[in-house]
Amino acid sequence: MPPLFTLADVSTMRGSADEHVHPLSGVTVDIAADRITVVVGPSGSGKSTLLRLLNRLEEAHDGVVSFHGRPIGSYDVLELRRRVGLLQQRPTPFPGTVLDNIRVARPAVTRDEAVALLERAGLGGGFLDRRADELSGGEAQRMCLARTLAAGPEVLLLDEATSALDAAAAKVVERTARDLAEGGLTVVLVTHDLRQARRLADDLVVLAGGEVVEHGPATRLLRRAKDERARAFLGGSS
Ligand code: ADP
Ligand code: MG
């Protein structure tokens, strides 16, 4: 199967022409469909930037990002973001009830469908008529996961999405990610938690200083990475 995303010599730029940084430079990597790719690396290594390129919250300054073999810039951005859903580190509830939040993503959703989405995200149907701004952080994050799934994405991007959750809620999100990948969804997950990477990764991308220093099947990389910077990171906290 051809890769779902291809990054070919991609660099990003922040700042002005005279004074700028390159959060990513010369990144070439494929991301395969129907599996979990975990992106790891130290803080500031470019993990969020890489993820945001995949739904065009970030644009490449150089190089090409492709989705299904077509330059990502050729897609309508709203259609792209329905197909490539993002769950960020902090929940982003909209005003109104939990059901109102889910309706933003799927206007014609029925109550039964909304309950099924909530259950998938580890929240019971009893939350449907609760006010979104009265949920705890962990509940709000799971509602946001249900809302992201309501759009029917083919790719789910998770950016440190469990780091503000307690261990039990984090496990629910991890199990959902695994179930979704087994059901044919592509998951790209950024984490600084190597144990989470070990639990979830089919493929691993290791970033250091804005460059991809390793990429491949997780079982192989976790056993022995070739690159010294990748080894230093992967071996550091197992
Ligand atoms: P990570 O998610 O791995 O912590 P990021 O992708 O957020 O890394 O950031 C990578 C680098 O780009 C960091 O050095 C960060 O300071 C820089 N960066 C990210 N966003 C901006 C921005 N809006 N302005 C300036 N620098 C930025
Ligand atoms: Mg980040």
Side-chain angles (χ1 to χ4, degrees):
M1 194 162 24
L4 189 61
F5 292 99
T6 306
L7 279 71
D9 208 9
V10 170
S11 299
T12 62
M13 193 176 103
R14 288 283 188 178
S16 63
D18 326 329
E19 201 179 321
H20 57 260
V21 293
H22 293 284
L24 291 178
S25 54
V27 167
T28 295
V29 73
D30 290 340
I31 295 173
D34 304 349
R35 63 173 66 204
I36 302 184
T37 295
V38 175
V39 181
V40 295
S43 177
S45 59
K47 302 182 297 294
S48 295
T49 304
L50 175 58
L51 207 66
R52 290 157 58 87
L53 282 167
L54 305 182
N55 75 349
R56 281 181 63 194
L57 284 175
E58 192 91 38
E59 301 276 352
H61 178 69
D62 269 315
V64 181
V65 179
S66 300
F67 177 52
H68 286 286
R70 254 173 63 194
I72 203 161
S74 71
Y75 291 86
D76 174 73
V77 73
L78 293 180
E79 185 213 328
L80 178 76
R81 288 181 191 157
R82 269 193 300 276
R83 293 173 68 178
V84 183
L86 171 67
L87 189 65
Q88 290 175 285
Q89 182 169 8
R90 302 262 156 215
T92 51
F94 301 144
T97 64
V98 169
L99 179 59
D100 293 334
N101 268 260
I102 291 173
R103 276 206 188 107
V104 170
R106 193 193 296 176
V109 74
T110 65
R111 289 181 70 88
D112 285 350
E113 286 169 344
V115 168
L117 287 161
L118 289 179
E119 283 173 351
R120 172 134 253 203
L123 280 183
F127 281 90
L128 209 55
D129 298 311
R130 294 270 300 272
R131 283 177 50 136
D133 62 3
E134 287 173 357
L135 302 178
S136 73
E139 291 162 354
Q141 185 69 327
R142 281 173 282 165
M143 176 192 75
C144 289
L145 175 59
R147 190 179 70 196
T148 302
L149 296 175
E154 58 187 280
V155 183
L156 179 63
L157 309 176
L158 299 164
D159 192 355
E160 311 261 12
T162 63
S163 62
L165 300 185
D166 64 40
K171 282 275 158 42
V172 170
V173 173
E174 286 186 12
R175 189 163 353 104
T176 302
R178 172 51 62 202
D179 290 348
L180 290 166
E182 276 162 16
L185 204 96
T186 302
V187 177
V188 187
L189 180 146
V190 163
T191 184
H192 63 266
D193 178 355
L194 261 183
R195 282 169 306 176
Q196 184 175 62
R198 283 176 193 280
R199 286 193 294 271
L200 289 176
D202 295 310
D203 287 340
L204 261 185
V205 175
V206 186
L207 287 174
E211 294 173 26
V212 171
V213 294
E214 284 281 5
H215 173 223
T219 44
R220 175 169 64 75
L221 290 187
L222 290 169
R223 212 177 312 120
R224 182 150 183 86
K226 280 201 218 74
D227 182 90
E228 196 177 318
R229 287 177 296 175
R231 249 193 342 262
F233 184 76
L234 295 172
S237 51
S238 53

